Amino acid sequence: MSEYLPILLIFTLASAYGIWYQASRGKVKAKRRRADVNPLDASDFGSDFGSRATFIQFSSAFCTPCRATRALLSDITADLNDVKHIEVDAEKNLELVRKLDIRSTPTTLVLDSDGVEIGRAIGAPKRDEILATIDALK
Amino acid sequence: MSITNVLTFKINSDVKLIDARGPRFGAVLTTLVLSAFIVTQFLPLLYWQLAVFTLGAFLGSSPYSFIYRKFVKPRLSDDVPTEDVRPPQFAQLVGFLFAINATIAYTLGASTLGLVIISFALAAAFLNAGFNYCLGCEVYLLIVRAKSAVTSRKNHEDSYNLPSL
């Protein structure tokens, strides 16, 4: 019996992590807006921010969901003049990665019209949630 | 060995796309082989998986992808979901590093340490097979961040050793 103990432990822990992983990835988590938070500087990203909202997507090479996130966000923002999608290569912008505490890719920051981060999604976000986020920023 | 130097790619260059189901099928086989090894402690299973990881990481093709292409894919009729070849190859490289260290530990008689090390490889393969876990997404940036933190600290220390002008 004892030879099955390690394998039971591994599958139990990995399953618990996997369930949490699937539940948490792609969710847009709102950030409480505080008065002392400074807006991000558009020049750091080499592009203007949107007048209504901006999605800043951090990507890396070894990341399959980054492709899906890119396709989704560029599709949604294509028809919207006031919402922008900016993709950042995390590896080449480590200073920003540290400053914004990006730990995995894709991580998408949602900025409001002032360029203040109001939420972020770790993992490929879902279309409905992104659309709802944009609607809330009218 | 540095993970970030073994596989160097440009993010926006044209990338090779593969059938995304292939690596997932490989993860299922890896899960089975490593589970069998952990229960039986039959070392040839570990050596076999080490060889598979080595081929997958450095050649980009392994016996598992061969089985997939030859026997599984012809039986699937859906649209082919594609993915960039780099994330699964990165995962194979991480698997290789765990497997080689586990093999060394077993060879030196530290079988408990070896068991712990290979358990991580099994956990990652199981998460990939069952939960579509993306290892490269979760760990690659952390490795790059840690590496650059070490480099910048070293440069900082070196600057103390410069002769004063």
Side-chain angles (χ1 to χ4, degrees), chain A residues 90-106:
Chain A
E91 201 181 339
K92 293 204 182 87
N93 295 280
L94 286 177
E95 231 165 274
L96 278 175
V97 162
R98 284 219 178 75
K99 194 169 113 192
L100 297 167
D101 195 25
I102 310 295
R103 291 172 200 175
S104 65
T105 53

Side-chain angles (χ1 to χ4, degrees), chain B residues 11-43:
Chain B
I11 186 168
N12 286 323
S13 61
D14 289 329
V15 293
K16 197 180 152 199
L17 296 179
I18 54 167
D19 185 341
R21 298 165 300 190
R24 201 122 179 232
F25 174 77
V28 172
L29 292 187
T30 302
T31 302
L32 294 175
V33 169
L34 289 181
S35 300
F37 168 68
I38 285 173
V39 172
T40 61
Q41 294 290 297
F42 180 57
L43 280 167

Side-chain angles (χ1 to χ4, degrees), chain B residues 6 10 13 19 26 33 39 44 56 58 60 65 70 88 90 100 112 120 122 125 129-130 134 140 153 155 163 165:
Chain B
V6 175
K10 290 198 180 78
S13 61
D19 185 341
V33 169
V39 172
F58 299 104
S65 57
K70 202 88 184 151
F90 174 81
I100 189 96
T112 308
F120 283 100
L122 170 59
C134 171
Y140 180 64
R153 197 174 309 132
N155 290 343
L165 295 171

Side-chain angles (χ1 to χ4, degrees), chain A residues 19 55 64 89 91 100 137:
Chain A
I19 290 165
F55 294 99
T64 297
D89 182 350
E91 201 181 339
L100 297 167
L137 282 168

Side-chain angles (χ1 to χ4, degrees), chain A residues 6-7 13 20-21 30 48-49 60 63-64 66-67 74 80 90 107 133:
Chain A
I7 201 89
L13 291 176
W20 171 82
Y21 175 83
D48 291 337
F49 288 158
S60 65
C63 168
T64 297
C66 291
R67 272 179 77 214
S74 55
L80 301 167
T107 294
T133 306

Side-chain angles (χ1 to χ4, degrees), chain B residues 92-103:
Chain B
Q92 292 293 298
L93 182 68
V94 174
F96 164 78
L97 291 175
F98 277 108
I100 189 96
N101 284 302
T103 304

